[in-house]
Amino acid sequence: MALPEVEFIWMDGKLVPWADAKVHVLTHALHYGSGVFEGIRCYETADGPAVFRLFDHMERFDRSARMLFMELGYSVEELVEAVRETIRANNLPACYIRPLAFRGYGFMGVDPINSPVQVIIAVWPWDSYLGEDALVHGVDVGISSWRQRGINAVPPGIKSSASYVNSGFAKIEANRHGYAEGILLNETGHVCEGTGENIFIVRDGVISTPPVSDGILEGLTRDSVIVIADSLDYPVIEESLVRTDLYAADEIFMTGTAAEVVPVRSVDGHVIGDAGPVTLELQKAYFAAVRGQDAVYEEWLDRL
Ligand code: PPE
């Protein structure tokens, strides 16, 4: 999507005008993918803007950074406050939030350790990720010919910039084939995730989703949906799935901060159908939670 520009970006501790948030072309991360990031959403609620699971996202950010031996130089609490400050400065009722930590300028070569770590937080309005229609009618997806990396190669569990090279391959292929999204299998054939979403199936009233050990990002939306499904008395099983489990599913949906809860209408041309009842119930409950319409999930909201 083309970026809608807003006023300020938080860069290394200061709010700077959008156009001034720049780096040198010899920034380490540009050459070697040495970055980690987050995707968070702030929603409009009856009591003003609220960021969904802000603290949890910042903890994951911190974890991703630590796995790559990156010192952020800010505590999770400080980063949480920086997000609030950035949204307030831009005066946005709702937005997408993109914290990024990356290895900056000064050293070249694969070893990232000596390169300085820079941290930025950008926000911008980002409506529906796969289109408004997707949330209502679902999307057509295809199994990618690209595979998810194993857990010992650019671990899918770390939200690193480098992971998205693989997602990019799968996304280009999916779009060229006319699909809204590509679903990645791992080398053993287990279903992993979309290029920017986790995946769930519903069969005979039971909800299943791939386990972390199959090579997925442990999505916070995935976690929220599991909690919500549990409260609605749907059994949720984390189990390995193969592509025929997708073809045979009664319902399929994908989850992600950007994508939210999106029904899948078909996989490789096998029609799953319009958004199913379980998907719609979970989607409705998720939107109620993020928009502050369900007091049960108030603790997930960080009000500005
Ligand atoms: N898997 C992948 C590969 C992924 O990128 C995301 C989020 C998820 C699962 C779901 O994670 P969570 O957001 O915590 O529920 N993808 C982010 C980036 C998308 C982008 O295009 O950029 C997002 O949704 O913000």
Side-chain angles (χ1 to χ4, degrees), residues 12-13 42 44 49 53 60 84 87 117 123 127 153 175 178-179 192 195 211 217 232 234 240 254 260 265 270 288 304:
D12 299 321
C42 173
E44 222 171 330
R53 302 194 66 171
R60 187 171 69 182
R84 294 187 193 123
I87 299 172
V117 174
V123 300
D127 291 340
N175 288 339
Y179 295 127
C192 293
T195 67
L217 181 72
L232 296 170
Y234 287 112
S240 294
M254 301 186 296
E260 301 168 308
R265 192 167 47 200
H270 294 280
L304 294 190

Side-chain angles (χ1 to χ4, degrees), residues 163-215:
S163 283
Y164 289 85
V165 176
N166 206 43
S167 279
F169 277 119
K171 190 79 185 188
I172 290 169
E173 181 189 60
N175 288 339
R176 289 177 71 92
H177 292 173
Y179 295 127
E181 193 52 279
I183 305 299
L184 291 145
L185 310 179
N186 64 20
E187 292 291 357
T188 27
H190 292 162
V191 175
C192 293
E193 57 187 351
T195 67
E197 310 88 359
N198 291 116
I199 189 162
F200 289 76
I201 68 165
V202 185
R203 198 170 173 187
D204 299 328
V206 177
I207 303 172
S208 307
T209 193
V212 173
S213 53
D214 273 341

Side-chain angles (χ1 to χ4, degrees), residues 37-40 57 60 96-98 126 129 148 156 159 164 167 193-198 216-223 255-260:
F37 69 92
E38 266 308 316
I40 315 171
H57 277 283
R60 187 171 69 182
Y96 183 77
I97 304 153
R98 169 55 56 82
W126 200 352
Y129 187 65
Q148 181 73 305
K159 202 166 170 66
Y164 289 85
S167 279
E193 57 187 351
T195 67
E197 310 88 359
N198 291 116
I216 60 165
L217 181 72
E218 204 172 342
L220 283 160
T221 320
R222 174 183 181 274
D223 180 69
T255 63
T257 299
E260 301 168 308

